[in-house]
Amino acid sequence: MPTEAKNSADTAICGIHLEKWMMDRKLTKAEAAEAFGLQRVKWDELTRDDRKLEPVDDPVVAMLYEVYRQHPKAYPRPVPPDIKEFFLWLGLREDQPQDFTTFAALIGRAPPTAYRLIRPPKLKKASLQAKNKPSPSRSVLRWIEALRRLNLTPRQTLKLMVDVAASVGQRQQAGNVLSEGWSKQDAAAEQTD
């Protein structure tokens, strides 16, 4: 088995790629895990010697790796984005169900998650509403932060998201994620949201 990271477009993104990215930037494991929105335990699991050659199971982590690799200035700075604001900024509309499906594919999640993030359930008491407001996983937040740091127009951002999602979907053998969603990986990823 090869032990070096290859960045070929036909090679699945694996833990060894994440580990090389971390070492190239002289980051600690905690800093690298945070950059991908992962808990340190999950980072260690992905980069463990016996697992680092396996494809990354969370599509958002794979997409983050790809955008960090292609656009180094996308690397995170703290200030979580407003998911609904980002959805609207992209030109997507809440009254268009297909926009939720598209957004879900572009953030590596299932459509119900996109609905939940954009249209949280309304609760009667304000205190309950703030406490129970759904929040995206840290990896989804890092993905959106990385995209915003590129200072692209909404149309350019949407194109980049489509290109990266399609490319990563193929690399991770998830099929055409833009039309079929991340069905092969939804179950694993949804556990983190």
Side-chain angles (χ1 to χ4, degrees), residues 25 67-75 150:
R25 282 147 193 83
V67 85
Y68 289 166
R69 189 180 67 77
Q70 290 180 19
H71 305 278
K73 71 179 186 177
Y75 182 73
L150 296 174

Side-chain angles (χ1 to χ4, degrees), residues 90-107:
L90 288 171
L92 302 174
R93 295 179 34 190
E94 286 187 75
D95 62 348
Q96 299 294 318
Q98 69 270 20
D99 285 359
F100 285 95
T101 303
T102 298
F103 188 67
L106 297 177
I107 64 168

Side-chain angles (χ1 to χ4, degrees), residues 156-178:
Q156 292 169 324
T157 302
L158 199 52
K159 181 180 181 336
L160 176 63
M161 291 176 79
V162 166
D163 292 347
V164 171
S167 170
V168 170
Q170 291 302 311
R171 285 183 73 174
Q172 301 305 92
Q173 299 179 352
N176 184 351
V177 298
L178 298 174

Side-chain angles (χ1 to χ4, degrees), residues 47-178:
T47 58
R48 205 172 61 211
D49 284 341
D50 64 332
R51 294 235 10 237
K52 70 169 105 180
L53 296 177
E54 294 176 18
V56 171
D57 58 0
D58 186 337
V60 181
V61 172
M63 289 189 294
L64 275 168
Y65 166 79
E66 190 65 15
V67 85
Y68 289 166
R69 189 180 67 77
Q70 290 180 19
H71 305 278
K73 71 179 186 177
Y75 182 73
R77 282 179 242 132
V79 175
D82 180 303
I83 302 299
K84 184 175 181 176
E85 178 184 301
F86 182 71
F87 176 87
L88 297 171
W89 179 79
L90 288 171
L92 302 174
R93 295 179 34 190
E94 286 187 75
D95 62 348
Q96 299 294 318
Q98 69 270 20
D99 285 359
F100 285 95
T101 303
T102 298
F103 188 67
L106 297 177
I107 64 168
R109 296 296 183 251
T113 299
Y115 275 99
R116 184 174 51 82
L117 294 172
I118 305 303
R119 290 186 178 165
K122 294 190 176 168
L123 302 172
K124 293 185 181 194
K125 291 186 176 180
S127 61
L128 286 176
Q129 197 165 4
K131 183 178 171 185
N132 293 319
K133 183 179 181 198
S135 60
S137 66
R138 292 188 307 173
S139 56
V140 169
L141 289 173
R142 296 305 171 268
W143 173 232
I144 292 170
E145 289 168 356
L147 293 164
R148 292 303 296 258
R149 278 192 299 281
L150 296 174
N151 294 320
L152 302 173
T153 66
R155 181 173 287 192
Q156 292 169 324
T157 302
L158 199 52
K159 181 180 181 336
L160 176 63
M161 291 176 79
V162 166
D163 292 347
V164 171
S167 170
V168 170
Q170 291 302 311
R171 285 183 73 174
Q172 301 305 92
Q173 299 179 352
N176 184 351
V177 298
L178 298 174

